[in-house]
C-alpha cells in the first residue's frame, strides 16, 4: 500500500507495456493487417495456452532462454509461460499429429513472455506474429522461396516502401566451416552473425580468440562479405574452390530460393543474398531470413526466420521439417512510434458517429442510434446529463469524426446538421443521408 | 520424460483448452462478431498485460478468487495472472485517469486465469469478452438501459434466436432486506441468487439456517417470485407496503431501465424483470443482468454483468461509477459445440483456393497464386512433390472450397477447370473468371 491515503499505487509490473486507446487502435490495425496477409497466403489460425507444463516447454531450451522463463508452481504442477510460439507449435503438432493435414500451414499471433533485463524497446510481455509451414517427413525447398513473398506482401500492406529481405543458407556457412576445418561451428556462427553490428575487424579478433586460424578467417570473410549481384555472390563461393557436400547442398538450395522468389513477383530491390546472416538460434538448419527497413537499419531485423530440419524432435519420432518467420510486433510498434516513423495521429476511436441528445429527445435519439447501428455505423449516444458545451467538448476529445445534436427541431423534422469534426463542415440531411455520407467517408 | 524412447509426452497443463483448426476458425468467427458488435456501440479497444503486480491485482479480492489466482515470484517481483478483466480495468482507469475521456467506453477481449477445480466446461485459461462504461463522478442510469440493447445485438449477431435478458436492481433486494430487518445482506443475497438452481424450499431452509425470520422469508419470496408483466412485478413490490429510500431508488432505476430499453428497440420477448437474480459478486450495487438461452437454460447465464458505484476505490479517491457485462466465450463455445447447439461443420480453413501445379508449371502457378492474392483471394499453392492422387486428397482433407490444377495445357491456354469441392461442379474459365466466381461465392 502506498503511504498516502491507503491507496495502492496503480501500475504495471516492470517491463510490461500497455497502450492508450489511440495507440491501441493503431496497434490493432497493424495486427489485423498482418493477420489478413497471413490468411491471404493460405495459413490457418492457431491459439495455444500461454502456460505450458515446464518439462514440456523447457525440453530443449537452455542458456539465456531458460533464465528468462517465467516458471512457477500451481499446486503440484510446475508451469512455465511460453517464451516464443515455436515450441508450443512443436508440442501442438506432435500432440495432434494424426488430426492435422500436412503440409500444416499455421499462423499464430499471441503474447509471449521473457523476463529480460528492462531496456528501451524490450518488453517482458510482447506480441509475436508467426507463420510456419510444417511438412510430414519432407518439405520442398520451394516453400523457402514462398516465405519472402509473404514478408514482402506483409510489409507492403503495413505501408512500408523501402525494405530488404536478407537471405542466406546455413549449410553454406557450415560447409565453409567444414572446408576450413573450423570445428566449433555453433560458436563461430554466433560470432559471424554479429558482423554487421560490430564490424569485420572485431569479428576477426573474436574468431582468433577462440582459436580459428587467421588464414581461414580471411577466406571466410572474403566469401561472406563479397559484393555483387545475388548470382555473383553465389558464383563467388564456387570460385573460391571450397567444396564439400554440405556447401553444395546449401548453394543448390539458395539458388532454388532465389530462382523461385522472382516467380512470386517479389521485386529485385526487396531481397538480397547475404552470406553474413546466420541467426543466433541453433535450430535453423538451412535457409535463414532477416528483414531490414532500409531507412532505419538501426532497428535491426523486423522479421526473421528460417528453415529447421526437425521441429518436434523432443516430443515425437516423426520427422517434421519446417520453415517459418516471426514479427516481434510490440517491439516494432515501439520503434515505429517512438521514432516517429509512423504517424500516431489517427482516430482515437473506431466510433464514427456521436449522437448528442438534448433534454426531451432522448427516446428519439436512441431510435436514430439504433438505425445507425443497424446500418453498420459505429455509433455512440451521449447518455449523460450536462450542458451542451460539456457535450460538445466531449465530441472534440473523443475524436469521433461525425457528430449530430438532436433536439426538439430535429425530432420534429427528421433532419439533422451532420458535423464533420475534422473539416468543421456541416451537412443538412436526414437519417439515410447521414448513413450515406459516413459510408462514403469510410470507403475513402 | 516419458519412459519410452526418451520423448517428452506432448500435452497441455490440466484444465487448459486448445482447439483444432476447424473449431479455432469457428471460435475466431464468434470472437470477431462480438468485437464488431461492441465497436458498433461505440466502445474502444483495450489490452492490458496478462500479469499484474500481486499487490495491485489482489488489493480487493478475497475468498475463492484469492485461492484460484496464479501467483508467483519472478526475481523480487510478486506477480499474479489476472482472473478477470475488471480489476485490470480499474487499475488502468485509475493509472491513466488524466489521459482518458469520460464516460470511458472500453471493450476488452482477452484471456484470464483461474486455478479452478477441473470440471466439464470449466477452464483454467479462458477468454472473456467485456464491455464497461465508466463515468467520472457520475454515470446516468440510461447507460444501464443501453447495455441490454448491446447484449441483444450481440447474441442476434451470433445467430441466437431465443434468449432472454433477465434484469434486476440490487437496491430492490437490499431495500427489501432492510425493511425486513435482514442484517447479513451479502450472505442472503448469495443464497437468493441460487433460487433458480436449488428451488424455493431449499432457499427457505438455507435462510432459516442463517437465522432469517420465517415471516420475513415468506414476504421476500412472495415478492421476488411474483409472476406477471414487467410493470406488474414492479407494482407488486410497491403493493407489498414495504418502503424505504434504498428500495424506492431501486424501483425508480429499474423503471427507468425498462422504460428506455424499448427505445433501443429491444423486442419485449428478449428481456424480463427478474427480482430473483442478484449475481454472486459483491461489487454490484444497482442494475444486474443475466442472459439465458431459452432452449438451453441448463447452460446458465451466457452474458452477465451490472452496475457498480465505484470501480477503482482501491487505487484512487476519484469516484468512478460504471456498468458492464462479460461473455465467458471459452465456456460458451464449449457448451455450444459439445451440446451440438452450433454446427462445427464449417470450413476447416479460411483459404478459398488451392492451386495444384504439375511438374513443369510451377513458375506459372506461382504467378497465378500471386494474381489471386493481389485480388484478396486467400490462396494456397501446393508446393510439395508427389503424385496427383496425393495432391487431390490433400485438397479434400484441407476443406479448401475451390481447386485448380495447373499443367502444360493450362499454362499454354490460360484457361482452368475451377472445381467447387462442395458441389463437385467444374467451371472452365480464365484467371479473372476464377476471381469473380470465388468473390461472388464469398458474398453469399
Amino acid at each position: 500500500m502506498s503511504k498516502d491515503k491507503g491507496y495502492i499505487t496503480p501500475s504495471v509490473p516492470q517491463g510490461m507495456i500497455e497502450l492508450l486507446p489511440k495507440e491501441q487502435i493503431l496497434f490493432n490495425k497493424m495486427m489485423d493487417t498482418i493477420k489478413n496477409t497471413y490468411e491471404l497466403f493460405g495459413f490457418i489460425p492457431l491459439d495455444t495456452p500461454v502456460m505450458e507444463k515446464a518439462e514440456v516447454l523447457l525440453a530443449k531450451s537452455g542458456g539465456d532462454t531458460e533464465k528468462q522463463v517465467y516458471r512457477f508452481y500451481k499446486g503440484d504442477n510446475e508451469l512455465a509461460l511460453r517464451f516464443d510460439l515455436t515450441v508450443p507449435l512443436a508440442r501442438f503438432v506432435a500432440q495432434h499429429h494424426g488430426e492435422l493435414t500436412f503440409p500444416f500451414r499455421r499462423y499464430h499471433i499471441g503474447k509471449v513472455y521473457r523476463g529480460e533485463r528492462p531496456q528501451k524497446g524490450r518488453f517482458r510481455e510482447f506480441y509475436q506474429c508467426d507463420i510456419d509451414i510444417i511438412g510430414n517427413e519432407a518439405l520442398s525447398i520451394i516453400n523457402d522461396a514462398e516465405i519472402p513473398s509473404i514478408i514482402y506482401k506483409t510489409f507492403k500492406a503495413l505501408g512500408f516502401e523501402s525494405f530488404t529481405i536478407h537471405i542466406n543458407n546455413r549449410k553454406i556457412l557450415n560447409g565453409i566451416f567444414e572446408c576450413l576445418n573450423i570445428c566449433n561451428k555453433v560458436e563461430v556462427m554466433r560470432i559471424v552473425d554479429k558482423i554487421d553490428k560490430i564490424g569485420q575487424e572485431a569479428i576477426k579478433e573474436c574468431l582468433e580468440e577462440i582459436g580459428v586460424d587467421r588464414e581461414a578467417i580471411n577466406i571466410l570473410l572474403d566469401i561472406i562479405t563479397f559484393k555483387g549481384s545475388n548470382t555473383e555472390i553465389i558464383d563467388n563461393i564456387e570460385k573460391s574452390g571450397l567444396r564439400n557436400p554440405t556447401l553444395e547442398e546449401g548453394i543448390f538450395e539458395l539458388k532454388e530460393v532465389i530462382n523461385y522468389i522472382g516467380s512470386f513477383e517479389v521485386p529485385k530491390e526487396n531481397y538480397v543474398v547475404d552470406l553474413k546472416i546466420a541467426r543466433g538460434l541453433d535450430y535453423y538448419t538451412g535457409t535463414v531470413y532477416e528483414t531490414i527497413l532500409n531507412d532505419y537499419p538501426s532497428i535491426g531485423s523486423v522479421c526473421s526466420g528460417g528453415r529447421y530440419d526437425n521441429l518436434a524432435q523432443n516430443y515425437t519420432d516423426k520427422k517434421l521439417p519446417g520453415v517459418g518467420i516471426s514479427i516481434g510486433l510490440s517491439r516494432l510498434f515501439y520503434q515505429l512510434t517512438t521514432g516517429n516513423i509512423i504517424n500516431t495521429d489517427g482516430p482515437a476511436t473506431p466510433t464514427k458517429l456521436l449522437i448528442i441528445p438534448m433534454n426531451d429527445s432522448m427516446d428519439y435519439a436512441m431510435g436514430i442510434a439504433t438505425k445507425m447501428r443497424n446500418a453498420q455505423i459505429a455509433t455512440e449516444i451521449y447518455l449523460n446529463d450536462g450542458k451542451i458545451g460539456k457535450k460538445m467538448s466531449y465530441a472534440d476529445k473523443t475524436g469521433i469524426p461525425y457528430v449530430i445534436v438532436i433536439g426538439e427541431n430535429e425530432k420534429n423534422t427528421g433532419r439533422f446538421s451532420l458535423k464533420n469534426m475534422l473539416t468543421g463542415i456541416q451537412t443538412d440531411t436526414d437519417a439515410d443521408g447521414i448513413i450515406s455520407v459516413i459510408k462514403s467517408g469510410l470507403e475513402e
Side-chain angles (χ1 to χ4, degrees), chain A:
Chain A
M1 307 277 276
S2 69
K3 309 292 146 284
D4 51 293
K5 310 209 224 82
Y7 292 113
I8 293 169
T9 313
S11 63
V12 296
Q14 190 181 34
M16 301 285 164
I17 185 179
E18 68 186 355
L19 303 173
L20 288 165
K22 204 179 190 120
E23 293 170 315
Q24 189 66 59
I25 285 157
L26 191 59
F27 184 89
N28 292 358
K29 214 166 141 195
M30 291 181 72
M31 199 153 63
D32 288 343
T33 302
I34 293 169
K35 171 185 171 292
N36 295 336
T37 312
Y38 285 174
E39 288 194 351
L40 215 46
F41 280 80
F43 291 82
I44 59 183
L46 182 63
D47 182 13
T48 66
V50 163
M51 267 181 258
E52 297 269 356
K53 292 176 175 175
E55 67 154 19
V56 171
L57 192 73
L58 302 170
K60 186 180 196 171
S61 73
D64 283 359
T65 325
E66 187 90 32
K67 277 194 235 79
Q68 294 180 350
V69 169
Y70 287 87
R71 186 172 180 169
F72 53 90
Y73 278 90
K74 178 73 176 171
D76 302 337
N77 308 317
E78 190 181 15
L79 303 164
L81 302 183
R82 63 186 179 204
F83 52 85
D84 71 9
L85 300 175
T86 310
V87 179
L89 172 65
R91 192 268 309 151
F92 180 88
V93 174
Q95 183 176 343
H96 302 286
H97 187 274
E99 302 157 287
L100 303 175
T101 310
F102 292 91
F104 179 57
R105 298 163 69 94
R106 84 89 173 82
Y107 73 87
H108 191 172
I109 297 175
K111 290 176 168 182
V112 303
Y113 298 83
R114 294 181 194 173
E116 294 198 72
R117 184 171 53 77
Q119 50 186 308
K120 233 165 128 289
R122 292 272 175 197
F123 305 108
R124 292 178 171 182
E125 175 190 71
F126 58 96
Y127 277 95
Q128 282 195 333
C129 311
D130 285 22
I131 51 173
D132 288 272
I133 309 170
I134 311 301
N136 199 11
E137 297 302 323
L139 185 71
S140 160
I141 184 70
I142 302 174
N143 291 279
D144 299 42
E146 189 184 28
I147 295 287
S149 70
I150 303 167
I151 299 174
Y152 171 73
K153 251 288 199 290
T154 306
F155 280 83
K156 276 287 177 185
L158 287 171
F160 293 98
E161 283 312 317
S162 174
F163 56 90
T164 307
I165 305 161
H166 295 245
I167 306 169
N168 192 12
N169 190 303
R170 276 197 164 192
K171 288 173 186 164
I172 291 177
L173 289 172
N174 281 321
I176 296 173
F177 296 163
E178 289 163 16
C179 295
L180 298 171
N181 302 313
I182 295 171
C183 36
N184 41 3
K185 288 189 212 165
V186 173
E187 208 176 338
V188 175
M189 188 83 75
R190 282 175 194 238
I191 293 171
V192 168
D193 196 39
K194 297 205 189 83
I195 192 165
D196 286 334
K197 292 193 196 69
I198 66 177
Q200 280 202 48
E201 287 317 308
I203 294 294
K204 280 186 181 173
E205 286 170 24
C206 297
L207 292 176
E208 280 183 27
E209 273 171 24
I210 64 165
V212 182
D213 163 84
R214 181 166 298 173
E215 170 76 3
I217 296 175
N218 291 329
I219 298 172
L220 172 63
L221 291 180
D222 285 347
I223 296 174
I224 66 176
T225 61
F226 180 83
K227 301 255 176 305
S229 71
N230 293 333
T231 351
E232 287 164 354
I233 292 169
I234 299 174
D235 293 345
N236 179 66
I237 308 170
E238 288 161 324
K239 286 211 197 77
S240 74
L242 301 181
R243 284 196 72 170
N244 79 354
T246 317
L247 181 54
E248 274 164 41
E249 203 178 324
I251 290 171
F252 169 79
E253 289 182 359
L254 188 55
K255 279 183 173 171
E256 283 283 282
V257 170
I258 294 305
N259 160 24
Y260 280 116
I261 288 177
S263 312
F264 281 113
E265 294 173 25
V266 181
K268 283 237 170 306
E269 62 267 29
N270 289 103
Y271 66 93
V272 61
V273 167
D274 182 351
L275 302 178
K276 299 192 299 311
I277 68 159
R279 305 296 308 144
L281 295 161
D282 301 345
Y283 60 80
Y284 293 122
T285 51
T287 311
V288 286
Y289 316 93
E290 288 189 355
T291 311
I292 304 297
L293 303 177
N294 297 329
D295 303 329
Y296 315 95
S298 61
I299 292 179
S301 176
V302 294
C303 177
S304 312
R307 155 79 70 147
Y308 37 90
D309 277 343
N310 203 352
L311 175 69
Q313 57 199 2
N314 301 300
Y315 311 118
T316 174
D317 57 1
K318 302 214 168 39
K319 191 160 185 297
L320 301 167
V323 60
I325 49 167
S326 180
I327 299 173
L329 187 57
S330 302
R331 178 147 203 271
L332 176 60
F333 185 81
Y334 174 87
Q335 301 274 19
L336 295 175
T337 48
T338 56
N340 298 314
I341 298 168
I342 53 169
N343 176 6
T344 53
D345 283 350
T349 167
T351 310
K352 297 290 173 288
L353 175 66
L354 176 67
I355 297 177
I356 299 178
M358 302 314 287
N359 308 340
D360 303 331
S361 48
M362 186 59 84
D363 287 311
Y364 180 73
M366 290 170 176
I368 298 296
T370 303
K371 187 181 171 74
M372 294 301 148
R373 288 159 177 168
N374 290 342
Q376 296 303 307
I377 290 173
T379 303
E380 175 178 349
I381 172 163
Y382 191 87
L383 296 174
N384 279 26
D385 316 332
K387 300 207 171 50
I388 178 68
K390 182 182 165 200
K391 292 175 175 176
M392 289 312 288
S393 81
Y394 177 77
D396 284 330
K397 276 186 262 162
T398 51
I400 299 172
Y402 292 95
V403 176
I404 58 171
V405 177
I406 296 184
E408 273 307 312
N409 189 18
E410 288 73 13
K411 189 172 164 182
N412 299 333
T413 61
R415 294 196 67 83
F416 314 88
S417 167
L418 177 66
K419 183 172 184 185
N420 179 322
M421 297 298 283
L422 295 145
T423 63
I425 297 166
Q426 306 211 9
T427 319
D428 175 78
T429 179
D430 61 7
D432 294 326
I434 295 173
I435 293 170
S436 52
V437 168
I438 296 179
K439 288 232 178 221
S440 60
L442 294 183
E443 278 148 25
E444 280 158 20

